[in-house]
Amino acid sequence: MKANRLSDRIFHVYANDRRKSLFENMWPLPSGVAYNCYLINDEKTALLDTVELGSVDDFLGVVKDSLGGKTLDYLIINHMEPDHSGEIGNVLKAYPDVTVVGNKFTKKILNHYYGEGFSFLEVKDGDKLALGYHCLQFVFTPMVHWPESMMAYDQTEHILFAQDAFGSFGTLDGNVFDDEIDLSVYEREMRRYYANIVGRYSQHVGKALGKLVDKSISMICPLHGVIWRKNVAHAVSLYDRWSRCEADESVMIVYASMYHNTEAIADYIAYQLSQLGVKNIRVFDVSKTHVSYLLSEAWRCKSIVLGSCAYNAGMHPMMELFCQELKHSGLKNRQLALFGSYSWGGGGLKALKEHCSTLGWEESGAALEIQGKPNAEKLQVFDSFVQSIYSTLKQ
Ligand code: FEO
């Protein structure tokens, strides 16, 4: 557990979690995750959010050090998900006179976790809280990522405490600012975080960004990942792009294959697309790639090509899982092409078409499948299929 000074009176308190293997018990964390929170030591003191319970053993000690002998006046809860609210119970015990600050949705959720025996200040969208030198303005950002989610904007130093927005998977390995790391690597995990955690609520992200457009922002302080101070506009532009489901002119091909036949078709399609000049094509085995990485890539690529072998007269169960996640993610404005292979009765492509029919994406030509081993002659039938994908991509 560490604390960094962001400015004279603002501290960044964070915990690195390298032990947890699955975020929300679902999303792999190969590089761990960091829980950030912030403390303002002004005439009045305020802690903005906490960290996941059990992620560190000295959270209160670091808070106490950052307070420098003062008591805690306010506990501001921008987001109630337990990865940020887990230490609230301990804070309430250590500082029984603290005033908890949140909105009416915060209070409802808070009461179900921690009862009602504390002072609560309900704020409305746009309300301000004067701390002395600093003055915070609350910006409600419902469904980014929960209904109670809100941000706090420091009008004094133009710092945005952005809760889940602009965050990422991955620990803070000494460097905590955007200008201290390789952003090209970082942004991959940031996009995976967006696609899997926030992406479903992209419409709400767009509304939240609309509320921030008139604010000068010198620093973005999210609850996960690095603090943005040099590339603030870039971080906002990434979120703007992702929330509008804008994509690169590129193709991802995801296949389910038991005996390499559907895989061979996927490779053929990828090769033919590359011959047409398409860049950054990615091919994934749905059985070997965690769905969180596939969703992240789906957020990057304009064209998504899915192929499944037949399995018990339907599609391969791993492809079915990915299709469900695509549906659940709410990703919009994509182009779709479907293919498959079968050995005897078929049914894979039919099931794939049925599952994808509700996505509402533009179709790039007719779905296509072949029987048995895809030799060179059989693969030629995919040339027009590839041409359709390319033409749609270039529209
Ligand atoms: Fe990082 Fe929605 O919690």
Side-chain angles (χ1 to χ4, degrees):
M1 186 95 223
K2 299 171 185 72
N4 296 309
R5 194 183 280 270
L6 297 185
S7 69
D8 270 0
R9 304 170 204 219
I10 301 183
F11 293 87
H12 165 223
V13 179
Y14 71 99
N16 279 326
D17 190 343
R18 293 190 175 87
R19 290 199 172 184
K20 181 181 283 190
S21 54
L22 295 173
F23 189 76
E24 294 183 342
N25 216 9
M26 194 160 16
W27 316 112
L29 292 172
S31 306
V33 67
Y35 312 113
N36 300 322
C37 62
Y38 302 90
L39 189 141
I40 304 179
N41 187 339
D42 207 328
E43 287 168 31
K44 292 286 185 185
T45 61
L47 176 64
L48 293 96
D49 296 295
T50 70
V51 296
E52 177 152 331
L53 185 65
S55 59
V56 288
D57 57 11
D58 60 347
F59 178 70
L60 288 176
V62 179
V63 168
K64 191 177 167 198
D65 284 350
S66 304
L67 286 169
K70 293 182 185 172
T71 190
L72 184 65
D73 295 307
Y74 296 110
L75 170 58
I76 296 167
I77 302 175
N78 284 328
H79 188 18
M80 264 304 295
E81 190 163 8
D83 51 334
H84 311 295
S85 65
E87 286 282 353
I88 286 177
N90 289 331
V91 173
L92 293 175
K93 273 187 210 143
Y95 301 98
D97 296 326
V98 72
T99 297
V100 180
V101 181
N103 56 56
K104 66 178 180 184
F105 292 107
T106 319
K107 188 158 190 308
K108 271 187 194 166
I109 303 171
L110 192 61
N111 289 156
H112 283 290
Y113 273 81
Y114 298 105
E116 300 195 8
F118 49 82
S119 163
F120 186 84
L121 172 64
E122 183 184 318
V123 294
K124 301 214 163 22
D125 194 13
D127 278 1
K128 293 174 187 173
L129 181 67
L131 300 174
Y133 177 64
H134 291 275
C135 181
L136 297 176
Q137 182 175 34
F138 298 102
V139 181
F140 284 14
T141 54
M143 301 318 298
V144 185
H145 145 236
W146 277 15
E148 88 301 351
S149 291
M150 62 182 197
M151 299 183 185
Y153 174 68
D154 172 33
Q155 295 187 309
T156 311
E157 295 189 284
H158 302 154
I159 296 175
L160 181 69
F161 298 97
Q163 51 101 19
D164 262 352
F166 308 106
S168 175
F169 297 127
T171 50
L172 295 172
D173 299 338
N175 302 125
V176 301
F177 294 107
D178 61 327
D179 49 284
E180 299 175 329
I181 59 161
D182 183 346
L183 278 184
S184 64
V185 174
Y186 182 79
E187 280 171 22
R188 274 186 227 146
E189 279 297 80
M190 186 180 172
R191 191 185 62 221
R192 188 166 70 94
Y193 182 88
Y194 182 89
N196 291 279
I197 309 298
V198 189
R200 179 175 170 79
Y201 306 108
S202 286
Q203 208 180 344
H204 300 275
V205 174
K207 285 182 188 164
L209 294 176
K211 286 181 163 186
L212 299 174
V213 82
D214 292 332
K215 297 196 186 309
S216 161
I217 300 173
S218 65
M219 195 180 280
I220 297 177
C221 296
L223 291 180
H224 301 289
V226 295
I227 294 164
W228 297 84
R229 64 179 179 186
K230 188 176 178 191
N231 303 283
V232 167
H234 179 61
V236 173
S237 76
L238 287 176
Y239 256 56
D240 179 48
R241 184 172 160 77
W242 293 336
S243 69
R244 287 186 289 108
C245 296
E246 265 195 21
D248 295 350
E249 198 179 85
S250 192
V251 182
M252 77 178 294
I253 303 166
V254 187
Y255 68 86
S257 185
M258 288 187 288
Y259 299 106
H260 304 291
N261 297 324
T262 315
E263 179 184 11
I265 302 170
D267 276 331
Y268 185 79
I269 294 168
Y271 176 75
Q272 293 298 340
L273 284 168
S274 80
Q275 295 307 296
L276 291 169
V278 179
K279 302 280 192 295
N280 297 316
I281 303 162
R282 296 294 309 276
V283 178
F284 296 96
D285 181 338
V286 75
S287 303
K288 282 191 70 179
T289 316
H290 190 275
V291 70
S292 68
Y293 293 92
L294 299 176
L295 275 182
S296 177
E297 206 62 29
W299 235 272
R300 182 184 72 82
C301 295
K302 191 171 169 187
S303 174
I304 296 173
V305 183
L306 305 178
S308 178
C309 57
Y311 192 93
N312 292 339
M315 72 168 119
H316 193 282
M318 297 304 284
M319 180 57 75
E320 196 169 330
L321 174 68
F322 179 46
C323 289
Q324 276 170 6
E325 285 299 323
L326 280 175
K327 235 178 270 183
H328 184 78
S329 76
L331 179 61
K332 294 185 177 20
N333 307 328
R334 291 295 181 271
Q335 299 164 357
L336 179 70
L338 304 174
F339 69 97
S341 78
Y342 62 98
S343 298
W344 40 278
L349 188 61
K350 182 168 176 278
L352 190 54
K353 281 160 74 175
E354 282 168 8
H355 266 74
C356 293
S357 62
T358 56
L359 288 170
W361 296 350
E362 180 183 8
E363 289 185 25
S364 311
L368 191 60
E369 67 182 342
I370 58 172
Q371 186 169 11
K373 194 170 178 60
N375 57 27
E377 189 188 339
K378 287 183 191 172
L379 282 170
Q380 280 180 16
V381 301
F382 282 93
D383 289 352
S384 59
F385 180 85
V386 169
Q387 192 60 52
S388 294
I389 294 169
Y390 181 74
S391 306
T392 314
L393 188 65
K394 289 288 177 183
Q395 272 170 11

